Amino acid sequence: MTLTAEPSDAAEPGLPDEPLHRRLGVTDEELAAIRDRLGGRAPNDLELAMFSVMWSEHCSYKSSRPLLRTLPTGSAADGVVAGPGENAGVIAIGDGLAIAFKIESHNHPSAVEPTQGAATGVGGILRDIFTMGARPIAVLDALRFGDPADARTRHLVEGVVRGVGGYGNCVGVPTVGGELVFDPSYAGNPLVNVMAIGLLELDDLTLASAPGAGNHVVLFGSTTGRDGIGGASVLASATFGVEDGSKRPSVQVGDPFAEKLLIEASLELIRAGLVAGLQDLGAGGITCGTSETADRAGTGMRIELAVIPRREPGMDPFEVMISESQERMVAVVEPERWNAVRAVCERWGLPVAIIGTVTDDGDLTVVDEDGAELARIPASALTSDAIVHERVAAAPLRRRAAPAPGAPATASDGLPERGMDPGAVLTALLGSANLSSRRPVFEQYDSTVQANTVVGPGHGAAIVRIKGTTKALVASTDANHAVGAIDPWLGAALSVAEATRNVAITGARPLGVTNCLNYGDPTRPEAFWQLTEGVRGLADACRALGLPVTGGNVSLYNESPTGAIAPTPEIGVVGLLDDVATRVDPAWQAPGDRVILVGETTPGLAGSAYAELAGLAAEDGPPSLDLERERRLQAFIREAAARGLLASAQDVSGGGLAVTLAECALWGDGDRGLGARLRVSVASSAAVDLFGESPSRIVVSATPRHVAALVLLARQHGLPIEDLGEVTARPDDGTQARLAVELHGSGATGSAEDRGSRIADALIVGLDELRHAWEGGLSRALGWEQR
Amino acid sequence: MATRFAVNVRPKDGILDPQGRAVEGSLGHLGIEGVSAVRVGRRVELTVEAADEPAARAVVERLASELLSNPLIEAYDVEVLGAASSLESSSAGAAPPAAESASGTPA
Amino acid sequence: MATRFAVNVRPKDGILDPQGRAVEGSLGHLGIEGVSAVRVGRRVELTVEAADEPAARAVVERLASELLSNPLIEAYDVEVLGAASSLESSSAGAAPPAAESASGTPA
Amino acid sequence: MSVRIGVVVFPGSNRDIDAVNALEVAGAEPVVLWHDDASLDGVAGVLIPGGFAYGDYLRAGVIARFSPIMRAVAGFAAEGGQVLGICNGFQVLTEAHLLPGALLRNRGLRFVSREVRIAAERLDTPFTHLLGGRGALRMPVAHGEGAFYADEGTLDELEAAGQVLFRYVHSDGSTAGGEEDRANPNGSLRAIAGVLNAAGNVAGLMPHPETAVEAVLGSADGLGIIASFVASAAERERSGGPVEIGAR
Ligand SMILES: Nc1ncnc2c1ncn2[C@@H]1O[C@H](COP(=O)(O)OP(=O)(O)O)[C@@H](O)[C@H]1O
Ligand SMILES: [Mg+2]
C-alpha cells in the first residue's frame, strides 16, 4: 500500500524527500519505539499514519502525562464519579443527578480558519459531554487574542465569535459565560478554549469503552470525508511557521444541525440502554475512537474499511482511518440491540453502519473488502502505552519583567507622582479593551435557551438552575496570563483562586476544577519549565482549596514567529448552590447599605491592568498569594451568604478595588446604577489600594444591621475587614449618581510635603461617564459599530 | 466604463456543505425526485466603474478572493453580466442574462 | 438524462440588503474604489435527472419558486450549466461555464 | 384535566424545551408532535417553538414548512385552531403563508441575544387577553433572522386590520424606533415584533415569552402570553369550535 494522496500536502514539517515517518511528524526515536510495540516489525504506511496521529501531542499527551499525574483528582468522597481520562469529569450533586464538565482548546484550527475552528471546538467539547450520557446545559468560551487594533486580530475575533455563536446557538446550548482577553503574546496564536457542562442521571452514566468480544462496532452521525486529515498531529503539535499561510491542511467544517441530531440520538440510545459503550470521534478520528475504547476495555477491534460511509469517492485507507470529519460517534452494540439502534439513528436522520466487531485479541485490526489485513496494531500501543517523552525544564536565567506593552516605566505609585486624577484612571481602565463590558460579544450568543439561565454572561459567574430542584450550578472560567508570564506557578495558582472565588461569592460551593493548559513548545526548556510550574501551581491551589481536578486538556506549541504565548492555564470551575433563591449578586442593592472590603491589600502591581496602562517600576513584582488565606476567605463568604448576611458580593480582580466598586455601582439596582460615598485607607500608595490586583479580597454590601455579624465572622476566619462607607440614593434633581472615594491614611498624602500636594485625595466620578466608558470600550477597541 | 459582474462562491470540493445536504434531505417532503449533488453557495452581484474591462475584472478578482470568499473552504468564479450604467445597475433586480463567464479559483 | 443547473436568488428590488451594504462598507478598508450596487444573494447548483431538458427545467422551476426563494422578498433566475453525469457532478467544484441562462421571477 | 397543547418538534428545534416548561408552568399538558407525523394527536392548540429547524439552512423555516406535520397544522389553523409560533416557529409560519410578511436577516447582520421589551397592541386576542394591560413586557430575543418585513402597503393593511400584535418598546412603553434604536433589536419595520393572521387564530412573534415564565429566570412577563394562548385553546376545545375573545 502506498500513500498516494499526502496526508496533507502541507502539513508535513519536513522536506518532501525525507522518509515518510518524519514527514508525518514522527521522530526517528519514536519510529524505533513504534517498532518495539509491533514486536520489532516496521509499520506499514497505514499503520504509520495511524501512529502519527495517535502519538501526536494532542492525542497522546506525550510531554505532559507525567506532570498531569501529580494533580489531585479527588475521590468518591468528593462526589467524583469519573475523573481525568474519561471524556469529561463527572461529579454527583445529589437527587441521583450528576454533572459532566470539561474544557478544551481549539487554538490552532481557530488560527487557521477562525469561524470553523471555533465552531468545531464547540462541537468537540459538546460531544465529550453527551458521550457520557449528559445533556449539555451550558457553554463558556475563554478567548484570547493579540492587539485589538490589529486588522488580523479583528478578523480573528469576528470569526471566532461567529463560530462559537453559530454553533452553540444552533445546537441549543446556552453560552452563559467566558472570557475575552487581549495581550500581544497571543497575536500570532490566539486561544480558543471552550468549556461545556452537562447534566445527567447517574444511572445514564456511559463510559467510552468497548466491552464484549463479538459486539458490533457501530459508526453513526455524519459521513467520513477528507476534511481535517492529519489535524491532530499537524495542528496541535507543530509550532506555527511563517510559511503556514500557503501550507494549510484541510479545514474541518462543522454542522451544528447534525450535532443537534447527534445529541438527541445519542441520549435516546443511552436512556434506552441500547449501547454498551460510546465514544465521540474527534482528533484522530476512527483510529482514536476505536483504539481508545478497545484499550479501556482490554479488548480489540476488527474494522472493515470498505463499509465506512463516505462523503467522497476514492478515499485512501489512511484518509478514512484518520479523517477528522465532524459530528460522528462510535458505539459498541450487542448484536441483538442493533435493530433498535438503527431505528433510533434513522429516526433522527443519521447515517449508521456496523463497521466492525469487538475482538478479544487486544489488537486494532483494519481489513479490506476481501478480509485482507491492512493494519494490525495493539490498541494499547496507540493509547495507554503511547510514547512518553521526558522533557527538559529550565527556568530562565533572568526573571522576566511584567509585560507592559508600550507603557513608560515609572514608579509603581505613578498615579500620585504624576498627579493623575484617579477618576480618570478608573474611567480609562473601565473603558479599556480588557476590562470593558463584553456585551458586544456575548450578545451574539444565545444565553437563555433551555429556560434555565438565572445569570447569563456579563455579571460575574454564570448561574444555571437545575429544573425540578431548588439547586443551581455556578460556573466561571479564568486565567491569569499576565502574572503567569512573570511567575508561572503564581499565575496558575492565581487563576484557580480567582475562578473558585468567582463561584464562591455567589454563595455556591465549588465542586471541582477542569483546566486547559495553554503553553509553548515543550521541547524548549523554558516553555517546559513554565508548564511544569503551571501544573505545580494548579495542583497546589486545588489541594489548598480542597478541590478535585476532574479533567482538562493540554495545548502545547502555542508559538508563532513573534514568540510564545504567555503561559495560560485556563481554569474552569463549577459550583453548586443548594437553593438558588439564596444566591448573592455582585450588584449593590439599596441605598443605605454598607460597603465593606474583606481581605488584605498587599503591594505589587506587576501583571495588573493598571501597570499596563500607566507603566510600573522595574523592581516591582506581582502581588503574592496566600492560598490558606484564600481558603479562609472563600469559607467566610459562603458562610456569610448562607446566613443571609449579604446584600451583594464581588471579588477584587482585574483593575483592582476601584474597578470592583465601579461594577457594583453600575450594575446596582437592576443596572440602573447606584452611587456610593466611601473612604479607603491607603497604606503605601494610592495606586496599590485603588488599582492593585492583590488576590483574596471581596467587596460586600450589607444592610447596616448585619455589619457587626460580618465583622465578627471575618475575625473568626482571621480576615481583615474594613467598612468603606455607604451606597447612596440616586439624586432627585436628575443629576447622575456618583462614585465618591475619599483616600485617607499615611499613604494617601505621602511623606514628602511637595509630593502630598500633588496627590489627588479623592476619586469622584459620575456613573454616566463610567457607563459610557465601560459599555463602549470593547466596540471602540475593535472598531465595531456600536449599537 | 461601468460593468456589472457576478461572483459565484461555493464550498470547495470535499468540504462539507451542510446546506446542500439539508436541501437534499427535504426533497422527499416536496415530492421531488431525481435531484442530486446540491451545493449551496453565495452569489454577489456588483457594478465596477473602471477604465476598461481588464481593470474592472482585476478589481472584482481582488474583491472575490479577499472579501467575498474564504479561500480555505470556498472556490469562486466571476461572470461578466454586461455593461451597466451605475444608476441602472443600482436598482438591478433580475440580472441581465449572463454575457460571458469564466472560472477562477483563488491562488 | 442528467443536467446541471444553477439557481441564482437575489433580494428583490427595494428590499434592503444589509449584506450588500456591509460589503460596500468594507471596500474602503481594502482600498477598493469604483464598486457600487452590491447585492448579495444565494446560488444553488444541482443536478436533475429527468426524461428531457424541459422536464428537468420544470423540476428546477418548482424547486426555485417553492423552496429556494421566497417570492415576497427574493427573485431568481435559472442557468443551465450543462449535461452532467450524476457521479461527476457530485464532486463538481468549479462550475462549468454557463451555457445558457434565463431569467425568471416567480409568479 | 389540563388542556393538551402540541409542541411541534422538527429536527433542529431547540426551544421545545422552553416551550414544554412554559406550558407546564401555565398548567397545560405539553404533547410533543414529531415533524414526520401527519397527525396532531387531538391537541387543543399548537405551539411551534424556536430553534433551527433543519439547521435553518437556506432560509430560516423554509424546509420545515414542507414537513408532514405542517399540513396538519395548516388544516388545524383553517378550522380556527389556535397556533402560536415563537421565533423559528414564527419564521416557519410566515414561510408557510399562515402569517403575513417575512423575517429578514437582522439589520446589524449579527445574531442578537438580549432582553427586550415588547407591548401588545391588542388585548382582545387569544394570545393576549389575560395580559391585563399594554405595559412593556420583558423577555429575551435570540435570533439572527428576525427583522419583520412587508411592503409598505401590506404594513398599512396589517395595522388597519389590527394584525400587528406586538411591537418592540422602550422601558416607558413608547414604541421603539428603527434599526438604529437598541430597543428594536433587529431592525423590524415599524418595530413589529409579532403579528396575527386575518382570522385572529394564528400568531407569531420573535421574542421568547416561553423563556420568561418564572421570576428565577429574570422575568415572568411572558407567562401572560402563554397563559392566554392555553386558556383560549381550552375554551375553544370546551365549546367545540372557534371562540370570540373579548370584542374588537
Ligand atoms: N467570550 C465570552 N463569552 C461569554 N461571556 C463572556 C465572554 N467574555 C466575558 N464574558 C462574561 O463577561 C463577564 C466579565 O468577564 P470577566 O471580567 O472575565 O469576569 P470576572 O471578572 O467575573 O472573572 C463575565 O460574566 C463573563 O462570563
Ligand atoms: Mg475573570
Side-chain angles (χ1 to χ4, degrees):
Chain A
M1 187 201 73
T2 52
L3 291 173
T4 43
E6 303 291 354
S8 66
D9 42 15
E12 300 105 85
L15 299 165
D17 53 357
E18 280 200 298
L20 178 66
H21 70 274
R22 283 195 217 146
R23 282 189 281 140
L24 292 171
V26 174
T27 64
D28 296 357
E29 178 205 348
E30 288 170 343
L31 182 62
I34 288 171
R35 280 174 188 266
D36 270 0
R37 284 160 178 76
L38 294 176
R41 164 174 80 80
N44 65 31
D45 289 358
L46 172 61
E47 290 167 337
L48 193 56
M50 291 163 68
F51 269 106
S52 80
V53 286
M54 292 305 295
W55 284 23
S56 68
E57 195 70 58
H58 189 76
C59 290
S60 71
Y61 291 77
K62 61 190 170 189
S63 299
S64 57
R65 241 194 297 171
L67 297 177
L68 297 180
R69 292 209 182 97
T70 65
L71 295 172
T73 52
S75 65
D78 305 305
V80 177
V81 180
E86 291 298 337
N87 281 305
V90 177
I91 297 183
I93 58 166
D95 301 329
L97 299 174
I99 54 163
F101 65 107
K102 192 182 175 196
I103 190 166
E104 206 164 71
S105 66
H106 231 212
N107 303 338
H108 291 146
S110 303
V112 173
E113 212 306 290
T115 303
Q116 294 302 333
T120 52
V122 176
I125 189 67
L126 289 176
R127 283 194 293 283
D128 279 338
I129 300 300
F130 67 76
T131 299
M132 308 284 305
R135 175 173 288 280
I137 57 168
V139 161
L140 295 90
D141 64 326
L143 313 177
R144 283 154 189 272
F145 301 95
D147 180 359
D150 187 68
R152 172 84 192 147
T153 298
R154 291 177 173 189
H155 167 74
L156 290 172
V157 174
E158 181 86 42
V160 166
V161 170
R162 194 185 314 122
V164 171
Y167 207 96
N169 299 343
C170 183
V171 294
V173 181
T175 301
V176 295
E179 274 184 291
L180 173 60
V181 173
F182 300 98
D183 180 89
S185 79
Y186 304 115
N189 195 120
L191 300 187
V192 176
N193 292 183
V194 184
M195 172 170 167
I197 306 172
L199 184 68
L200 68 152
E201 302 204 356
L202 272 171
D203 292 345
D204 288 335
L205 179 66
T206 304
L207 298 181
S209 94
N215 282 341
H216 293 318
V217 179
V218 171
L219 179 69
F220 67 100
S222 295
T223 48
T224 298
R226 283 197 178 94
D227 45 354
I229 302 270
S233 54
V234 173
L235 285 180
S237 308
T239 298
F240 267 50
V242 247
E243 73 283 33
D244 276 313
S246 56
K247 294 174 141 198
R248 273 165 183 147
S250 318
V251 171
Q252 309 154 37
V253 171
D255 180 358
F257 172 57
E259 178 101 340
K260 169 72 175 158
L261 305 182
L262 210 55
I263 294 177
E264 301 304 334
S266 299
L267 294 179
E268 196 172 319
L269 291 173
I270 288 169
R271 294 208 175 121
L274 295 176
V275 293
L278 192 63
Q279 170 73 307
D280 62 299
L281 299 188
I286 294 174
T287 300
C288 185
T290 53
S291 59
E292 281 189 0
T293 47
D295 187 35
R296 283 203 189 101
T299 56
M301 268 187 203
R302 181 184 159 92
I303 300 299
E304 289 168 49
L305 200 70
V307 300
I308 295 173
R310 296 158 205 221
R311 195 186 309 147
E312 305 168 54
M315 286 179 69
D316 274 303
F318 88 92
E319 292 179 308
V320 175
M321 286 305 291
I322 69 173
S323 157
E324 293 183 2
S325 287
Q326 298 287 301
E327 292 96 20
R328 296 179 300 163
M329 305 285 281
V330 163
V332 174
V333 176
E334 292 165 14
E336 61 272 22
R337 304 203 193 276
W338 159 243
N339 282 329
V341 167
R342 184 170 56 189
V344 169
C345 291
E346 283 174 355
R347 193 171 113 86
W348 286 102
L350 296 172
V352 56
I354 298 173
I355 62 162
T357 315
V358 178
T359 63
D360 56 10
D361 60 11
D363 287 344
L364 176 60
T365 309
V366 183
V367 299
D368 70 12
E369 283 149 299
D370 318 320
E373 268 183 30
L374 301 176
R376 177 182 283 273
I377 305 172
S380 61
L382 292 169
T383 60
S384 59
D385 190 29
I387 197 163
V388 173
H389 290 299
E390 297 293 335
R391 305 289 192 196
V392 180
L397 290 178
R398 261 158 41 95
R399 211 164 218 229
R400 282 157 189 262
T410 57
S412 64
D413 52 353
L415 160 67
E417 284 291 329
R418 288 191 285 147
M420 269 166 100
D421 168 14
V425 175
L426 172 58
T427 309
L429 284 173
L430 271 185
S432 67
N434 279 335
L435 296 179
S436 50
S437 169
R438 265 73 277 260
R439 182 185 298 279
V441 166
F442 65 68
E443 277 193 351
Q444 298 181 52
Y445 303 152
D446 188 341
S447 54
T448 58
V449 60
Q450 295 191 16
N452 291 321
T453 306
V454 177
V455 176
H459 284 192
I463 306 185
V464 178
R465 64 102 178 251
I466 298 171
K467 215 174 278 175
T469 73
T470 60
K471 295 175 181 171
L473 299 175
V474 182
S476 178
T477 64
D478 285 282
N480 189 325
H481 69 279
V483 171
I486 307 164
D487 178 342
W489 177 89
L490 184 57
L494 282 171
S495 304
V496 176
E498 184 179 346
T500 51
R501 198 186 314 126
N502 278 336
V503 168
I505 57 174
T506 65
R509 177 170 53 90
L511 295 173
V513 168
T514 183
N515 67 93
C516 187
L517 301 172
N518 304 275
Y519 289 82
D521 176 352
T523 63
R524 235 174 12 88
E526 187 187 338
F528 191 64
W529 169 79
Q530 290 175 328
L531 174 65
T532 308
E533 286 293 288
V535 173
R536 195 169 65 82
L538 169 62
D540 287 350
C542 289
R543 283 209 175 84
L545 298 173
L547 287 176
V549 177
T550 60
N553 170 244
V554 179
S555 170
L556 303 179
Y557 299 95
N558 288 292
E559 305 199 355
S560 70
T562 53
I565 61 162
T568 311
E570 191 66 55
I571 305 300
V573 174
V574 183
L576 184 67
L577 263 177
D578 285 318
D579 182 358
V580 66
T582 65
R583 76 182 172 87
V584 178
D585 206 74
W588 287 336
Q589 301 296 313
D593 282 354
R594 303 303 299 181
V595 177
I596 296 162
L597 174 65
V598 186
E600 193 180 333
T601 302
T602 57
L605 286 170
S608 68
Y610 174 81
E612 191 176 325
L613 183 78
L616 93 163
E619 73 280 3
D620 203 355
S624 59
L625 170 67
D626 177 344
L627 285 167
E628 169 54 23
R629 195 197 301 149
E630 180 70 36
R631 190 191 61 74
R632 282 186 274 118
L633 181 80
Q634 294 189 19
F636 159 83
I637 199 72
R638 282 201 301 277
E639 190 175 339
R643 286 172 49 191
L645 299 177
L646 303 173
S648 76
Q650 171 71 327
D651 78 317
V652 178
S653 57
L657 176 65
V659 166
T660 297
L661 295 172
E663 289 172 346
C664 297
L666 289 173
W667 304 344
D669 188 21
D671 281 335
R672 280 177 289 272
L674 282 173
R677 204 163 31 240
L678 310 172
R679 273 164 66 83
V680 167
S681 71
V682 173
S684 58
S685 95
V688 167
D689 279 281
L690 286 177
F691 305 116
E693 297 177 10
S694 61
S696 313
R697 292 180 295 159
I698 297 176
V699 171
V700 303
S701 69
T703 61
R705 70 192 164 87
H706 287 324
V707 172
L710 280 171
V711 169
L712 180 63
L713 190 62
R715 294 274 149 73
Q716 285 166 345
H717 284 87
L719 297 164
I721 181 165
E722 183 184 353
D723 186 335
L724 303 179
E726 70 168 8
V727 178
T728 52
R730 241 187 316 278
D732 336 313
D733 59 3
T735 58
Q736 58 171 317
R738 291 193 312 179
L739 179 64
V741 185
E742 204 178 300
L743 306 177
H744 68 100
S746 56
T749 50
S751 42
E753 281 224 62
D754 62 339
R755 188 177 161 190
S757 65
R758 274 188 280 137
I759 293 173
D761 54 6
L763 181 161
I764 300 174
V765 57
L767 293 197
D768 292 353
E769 274 102 80
L770 291 180
R771 192 179 301 280
H772 176 79
W774 185 67
E775 287 286 358
L778 186 61
S779 295
R780 282 191 292 272
L782 286 167
W784 285 3
E785 207 174 297
Q786 285 186 46
R787 190 165 169 256
Chain B
M1 195 198 89
T3 317
R4 191 133 182 101
F5 291 89
V7 179
N8 300 318
V9 182
R10 74 186 69 77
K12 267 192 187 168
D13 284 3
I15 291 281
L16 181 69
D17 174 18
Q19 298 205 73
R21 206 162 56 166
V23 172
E24 286 174 17
S26 70
L27 295 172
H29 287 158
L30 271 160
I32 286 183
E33 275 171 32
V35 173
S36 61
V38 181
R39 301 288 271 173
V40 179
R42 274 187 310 285
R43 178 175 170 97
V44 183
E45 298 182 2
L46 59 160
T47 298
V48 183
E49 182 74 50
D52 50 24
E53 210 203 279
R57 182 178 276 280
V59 169
V60 177
E61 286 285 343
R62 226 193 110 200
L63 254 183
S65 61
E66 291 182 25
L67 187 68
L68 304 180
S69 74
N70 177 347
L72 280 175
I73 52 177
E74 293 169 329
Y76 70 85
D77 64 86
V78 174
E79 278 177 40
V80 183
L81 298 179
S85 89
S86 352
L87 212 75
E88 205 174 79
S89 61
S90 73
S91 65
E100 187 198 332
S101 170
S103 289
T105 350
Chain C
M1 196 200 87
T3 317
R4 190 133 181 101
F5 291 90
V7 179
N8 300 318
V9 181
R10 73 187 69 74
K12 264 193 184 169
D13 284 5
I15 300 269
L16 185 71
D17 172 21
Q19 294 194 77
R21 194 170 61 171
V23 171
E24 287 172 12
S26 54
L27 295 171
H29 300 298
L30 278 164
I32 288 182
E33 276 171 31
V35 173
S36 60
V38 181
R39 301 289 273 174
V40 179
R42 258 189 315 280
R43 178 177 169 96
V44 182
E45 297 181 3
L46 62 162
T47 298
V48 183
E49 182 74 50
D52 50 26
E53 211 202 279
R57 183 179 275 281
V59 170
V60 176
E61 287 287 344
R62 218 192 118 201
L63 256 184
S65 61
E66 290 184 23
L67 184 71
L68 305 179
S69 74
N70 178 348
L72 199 59
I73 49 174
E74 292 165 329
Y76 70 86
D77 63 89
V78 175
E79 280 176 40
V80 182
L81 298 178
S85 89
S86 358
L87 210 76
E88 207 175 77
S89 62
S90 73
S91 65
E100 187 199 333
S101 171
S103 288
T105 349
Chain D
M1 210 189 74
S2 54
V3 58
R4 297 170 74 246
I5 302 286
V7 176
V8 175
V9 176
F10 301 106
S13 295
N14 60 35
R15 294 255 178 181
D16 50 323
I17 298 178
D18 306 47
V20 164
N21 179 62
L23 290 170
E24 282 169 356
V25 171
E29 182 194 331
V31 177
V32 169
L33 302 174
W34 184 240
H35 71 112
D36 227 3
D37 292 340
S39 143
L40 295 187
D41 198 12
V43 296
V46 174
L47 195 159
I48 307 184
F52 289 69
Y54 296 92
D56 268 1
Y57 292 132
L58 223 46
R59 247 184 357 265
V62 62
I63 299 179
R65 167 198 166 191
F66 295 102
S67 292
I69 195 78
M70 284 309 293
R71 262 192 295 275
V73 170
F76 179 71
E79 289 163 14
Q82 278 105 14
V83 179
L84 174 62
I86 301 175
C87 194
N88 194 225
F90 184 15
Q91 294 162 339
V92 172
L93 291 174
T94 58
E95 284 287 348
H97 310 304
L98 292 174
L99 284 175
L103 294 147
L104 307 182
R105 269 298 271 283
N106 294 347
R107 288 297 156 97
L109 290 176
R110 293 203 165 110
F111 191 92
V112 175
S113 163
R114 69 162 87 119
E115 187 177 271
V116 298
R117 290 177 166 83
I118 60 171
E121 292 274 302
R122 288 176 53 186
L123 299 175
D124 58 347
T125 77
F127 308 93
T128 54
H129 68 281
L130 295 180
L131 278 179
R134 290 199 177 79
L137 307 170
R138 286 190 300 122
M139 60 190 73
V141 288
H143 58 250
E145 299 176 35
F148 185 80
Y149 170 85
D151 61 43
E152 288 295 314
T154 307
L155 288 172
D156 290 341
E157 281 168 33
L158 292 178
E159 285 183 344
Q163 286 180 252
V164 174
L165 190 53
F166 298 105
R167 291 191 213 258
Y168 298 104
V169 297
H170 301 113
S171 50
D172 65 3
S174 61
T175 300
E179 60 177 300
E180 66 300 328
D181 185 349
R182 248 187 86 86
N184 181 344
N186 46 34
S188 288
L189 294 182
R190 304 194 192 177
I192 292 173
V195 297
L196 206 57
N197 67 345
N201 65 318
V202 179
L205 76 169
M206 287 313 294
H208 289 287
E210 85 285 22
T211 305
V213 292
E214 299 172 71
V216 68
L217 303 177
S219 170
D221 289 358
L223 189 56
I225 296 171
I226 303 298
S228 298
F229 165 57
V230 169
S232 39
E235 181 55 32
R236 177 173 175 274
E237 189 171 58
R238 206 166 15 248
S239 65
V243 279
E244 286 301 319
I245 299 210
R248 281 287 308 276

